[in-house]
Amino acid sequence: MRVVHNWISGVQAPTSDHLDDTNPATSQVIARIPRSQASDVHAAVVAAREGARVWSRTPASERAIALRRIADALEARLDELAALESQDQGKPVSLARKVDIPRAIANFRFFASALEQETLASTRMADAINYEARKPIGIVGLITPWNLPLYLLSWKVAPALAMGNAIVAKPSELTPLTADALAGICADILPAGVFNLVHGLGPECGQAIVEHPEIKAISFTGGTATGRRVAATAAPMFKKLSLELGGKNSTLVFADADFDQAVAGAVRAGFANQGEICLCGSRLLVQRSIYDRFVEAFTAGVQALKVGDPAHPDTDIGALNSLAHRDKVEGYLSLARDEGGTVVGGERSPGPGAFLNPAVVTGLEPTCRTATEEIFGPVVTVHPFDDEDQAIAIANGTEYGLAASVWTSDLGCAHRVGEALDVGMVWVNTWLHRDLRVPFGGVKNSGVGREGGRWSMAFYSENKNICVKLGDRR
Ligand code: TXE
């Protein structure tokens, strides 16, 4: 049984109360983690004060070196971390090894380079020069969810460190293990107090981070309902806030798309990571002329996905993140039937784990609850459309606005639809094809703000303008 502690001031800090951490594929308790309270968060903030003082004075070139050392340390333990992530989250170890951990490594290397390459603007007046300067915020709070644990934690930690901040971070209580490993790596590389990790429940530990007066910025990724609570606390305190929330993303397939490419793309978009990615394409919109043929091919592709032991190299779909989450997803399958849908798949697998076969749902109105609420599991609803306008109207017909993918061979259609969709990110003839320089984030109930590249650099720093009056001619 692994015993996980908080990491405060570069050392493990035990706490009195604990929570069990379970492997969702076996329902076995694999670790005990702290159930931290406000006092633990405050201890982390006290450590972060000293961390912020030292780190903000550390030259950018040295900060970049530290980020690269963290990346190297993660890379050296890639297989171990992939196995840990898979055991903790339920995802196939092949996915963790190919995506989650390599992306965490890339996050640190990317922001080390971004920091070294950054130049700031100056603006010339007739009798003065303005120049921009960046300052660290000080102590930032990072709160992350259970679907892509190290991928998303590193996405926030790397730029926060690059910009000279100290951190108080809280991973999801459901997936604490790779965060614990990262904290141990940081303890060996960063000055004491720069990276502090506290584990615990959202309403107790997470809330304490959001409301701590010395934590001046919050970057949160999680559900929309929780994001609303985080914003309600942080906004009156005038904290910088970045919210990456839920999604109910459409995959739009036009009749002129490359059929096989679109089928494969729609299957991947719908079911990667068990459908537990905020960017997953959980609403499949198909032009009517190819609808029947596409549904048949798509369903065959979904049924060919191998559901099973996340540790097995051939597994495509592992366990959902918890039995409770599986119950939530099953609740939506029942709702789908109640709303008149036909469900193919969605059966439980025998055994103690939170396994669920992927489900394809047809026959639903695109405005029904199943087709507009975030399920966050291996469930895709399929809907026909006649033309671009109808496809855009259906795709924009949810409270979310995170992402979409458009499959067509007509560039005009791709641009018109891409521009008309009320989302933060559109992929054309691909999905989840990511360059770390581009902005990431959503609109409507999918969140506030953008992170990624220069957007992250700006979020995790305070921009200052200094205007220097030039002396009169002599
Ligand atoms: O997220 P939560 P959960 C969606 C998805 C999922 C739903 C809930 O629909 O079913 O959100 O998932 C911490 N103050 N997404 O329960 O509750 C919590 O401890 C401060 C989409 O995992 O939002 C965890 O560390 N923090 C999302 C983090 O917030 C609080 C990915 C996320 O937990 C808190 C995950 C509070 N009051 C879920 N309450 C995406 N966009 O990728 C909880 N937390």
Side-chain angles (χ1 to χ4, degrees), residues 97 103 133 153 160 174 192 203 225 241 245 275 278 297 356 416 447:
R97 190 178 291 130
R103 174 60 192 278
L153 178 61
L174 299 172
L241 196 53
L245 306 178
C278 54
L356 204 62
R416 286 190 302 273

Side-chain angles (χ1 to χ4, degrees), residues 143-147 170 172-173 202 206 220 223 226 245 278 328 374:
I143 300 174
T144 47
W146 47 254
N147 60 323
K170 190 199 89 66
S172 173
E173 57 279 16
F220 171 84
T226 309
L245 306 178
C278 54
K328 172 186 171 183
E374 184 179 47

Side-chain angles (χ1 to χ4, degrees), residues 143-148 152 170-174 200-210 220-227 229-230 233 244-247 276-279 321 325 328 374-376 400 402 446:
I143 300 174
T144 47
W146 47 254
N147 60 323
L148 302 167
L152 290 174
K170 190 199 89 66
S172 173
E173 57 279 16
L174 299 172
L201 298 174
E204 296 170 356
C205 181
Q207 179 67 23
I209 290 173
V210 177
F220 171 84
T221 297
T224 294
T226 309
R229 282 196 293 277
V230 170
T233 301
E244 201 278 289
L245 306 178
E276 296 168 334
I277 301 176
C278 54
L279 300 166
N321 184 239
H325 188 55
K328 172 186 171 183
E374 184 179 47
I375 298 172
F376 215 62
Y400 296 101
L402 192 55
S446 289

Side-chain angles (χ1 to χ4, degrees), residues 127-437:
D127 60 349
I129 292 180
N130 298 274
Y131 66 93
E132 287 180 31
R134 276 208 208 279
K135 285 192 67 177
I137 292 169
I139 303 172
V140 300
L142 310 179
I143 300 174
T144 47
W146 47 254
N147 60 323
L148 302 167
L150 193 60
Y151 180 122
L152 290 174
L153 178 61
S154 57
W155 180 236
K156 300 176 189 290
V157 170
L161 291 176
M163 302 320 288
N165 300 291
I167 291 168
V168 176
K170 190 199 89 66
S172 173
E173 57 279 16
L174 299 172
T175 52
L177 298 184
T178 48
D180 178 55
L182 174 64
I185 287 170
C186 289
D188 293 339
I189 295 172
L190 299 174
V194 175
F195 181 75
N196 303 281
L197 187 72
V198 286
H199 295 275
L201 298 174
E204 296 170 356
C205 181
Q207 179 67 23
I209 290 173
V210 177
E211 65 190 22
H212 197 292
E214 294 181 56
I215 295 179
K216 300 300 185 188
I218 299 292
S219 177
F220 171 84
T221 297
T224 294
T226 309
R228 201 169 271 124
R229 282 196 293 277
V230 170
T233 301
M237 300 177 79
F238 303 114
K239 296 188 178 194
K240 287 187 88 170
L241 196 53
S242 172
L243 297 173
E244 201 278 289
L245 306 178
K248 187 72 172 185
N249 312 301
S250 293
T251 299
L252 297 87
V253 181
F254 288 84
D256 62 3
D258 175 314
F259 189 89
D260 294 340
Q261 182 192 60
V263 168
V267 170
R268 179 171 165 260
F271 298 96
N273 203 50
Q274 301 70 243
E276 296 168 334
I277 301 176
C278 54
L279 300 166
C280 274
S282 51
R283 309 171 88 215
L284 174 55
L285 316 183
V286 181
Q287 197 154 24
R288 201 175 298 278
S289 59
I290 62 166
Y291 180 82
D292 292 340
R293 189 160 67 92
F294 197 92
V295 169
E296 185 183 348
F298 176 73
T299 304
V302 172
Q303 292 177 325
L305 294 171
K306 293 181 184 60
V307 180
D309 179 359
H312 194 285
D314 294 342
T315 296
D316 298 308
I317 294 186
L320 293 188
N321 184 239
S322 65
L323 293 174
H325 188 55
R326 184 185 64 183
D327 293 346
K328 172 186 171 183
V329 175
E330 284 182 321
Y332 273 104
L333 292 176
S334 302
L335 175 64
R337 295 184 181 97
D338 293 347
E339 291 188 309
T342 301
V343 178
V344 174
E347 307 84 359
R348 282 188 181 189
S349 299
F355 292 98
L356 204 62
N357 290 339
V360 178
V361 187
T362 52
L364 287 174
E365 282 303 313
T367 52
C368 74
R369 284 186 55 209
T370 308
T372 54
E373 293 180 11
E374 184 179 47
I375 298 172
F376 215 62
V379 180
V380 171
T381 60
V382 196
H383 313 274
F385 67 84
D386 292 313
D387 55 30
E388 279 184 25
D389 289 344
Q390 193 186 29
I392 291 163
I394 294 172
N396 286 339
T398 77
E399 65 182 52
Y400 296 101
L402 192 55
S405 63
V406 180
W407 302 79
T408 175
S409 58
D410 176 341
L411 277 182
C413 169
H415 283 289
R416 286 190 302 273
V417 174
E419 286 174 348
L421 293 174
D422 297 332
V423 295
M425 297 165 277
V426 178
W427 282 284
V428 176
N429 297 331
T430 187
W431 175 75
L432 201 59
H433 194 38
R434 292 273 295 114
D435 184 309
L436 304 188
R437 293 169 292 183

